[in-house]
Amino acid sequence: MKRGKRYLCLGFVLMAAGYMMLCTGTAIVWAGFNGFGGIWLDYTEEGQMAIGTAGCFFLLFFVLLLVYMLVKNYRERASVKYYIYDILFWILGIAAGIVLFRLFPQPGRGIIDSIMHFIREEGFLECPAP
């Protein structure tokens, strides 16, 4: 039963991280959109570093979590089937976050709007040079 709880917690964590990764990516893309007919805004150097960090954070989190799970199995001398289970649940957790983002866009809308507001208020955007 210990492994079942572990996989359930792992699935929820990965699902939430996948959902937040998509919300962050959507906010980064749409933050510079100034409406139809408006001038698109460009990211400043500081803004490029911030969005690069935000974009890489989730990818690094996913990879480190997978490495942690595989090292834990190695230390426990687990059989090969547990390695396969870990990788499958890792993939399914991320896929569930993507599916939830596509099926239920409304809860993520508030998260996206708040991230966009943060990007605009911190001065990460500027008008492009003519």
Side-chain angles (χ1 to χ4, degrees):
M1 194 64 178
K2 182 180 177 187
R3 285 213 186 250
K5 288 181 183 179
R6 177 176 156 193
Y7 290 132
L8 186 64
C9 291
L10 173 70
F12 281 127
V13 167
L14 286 169
M15 182 177 61
Y19 192 85
M20 285 301 296
M21 179 185 70
L22 289 174
C23 288
T24 305
T26 304
I28 288 170
V29 170
W30 282 99
F33 182 63
N34 218 6
F36 293 104
I39 298 173
W40 284 59
L41 302 174
D42 289 337
Y43 281 96
T44 61
E45 280 188 38
E46 186 179 285
Q48 287 178 359
M49 287 178 55
I51 65 167
T53 303
C56 291
F57 171 75
F58 291 105
L59 298 176
L60 184 64
F61 173 74
F62 290 141
V63 170
L64 288 177
L65 188 62
L66 180 65
V67 168
Y68 170 74
M69 292 171 3
L70 296 178
V71 167
K72 188 169 182 169
N73 280 339
Y74 178 75
R75 286 187 179 167
E76 292 176 356
R77 306 276 187 212
S79 64
V80 175
K81 76 175 185 178
Y82 292 117
Y83 288 95
I84 294 171
Y85 286 164
D86 281 347
I87 293 171
L88 283 177
F89 274 93
W90 185 77
I91 292 170
L92 288 174
I94 296 170
I98 294 169
V99 168
L100 282 177
F101 182 77
R102 298 300 300 161
L103 287 178
F104 304 108
Q106 196 59 29
R109 192 74 230 157
I111 298 168
I112 292 168
D113 289 341
S114 63
I115 295 172
M116 284 178 19
H117 179 72
F118 175 77
I119 290 171
R120 290 179 180 150
E121 290 297 316
E122 288 299 314
F124 291 155
L125 296 168
E126 65 183 1
C127 289

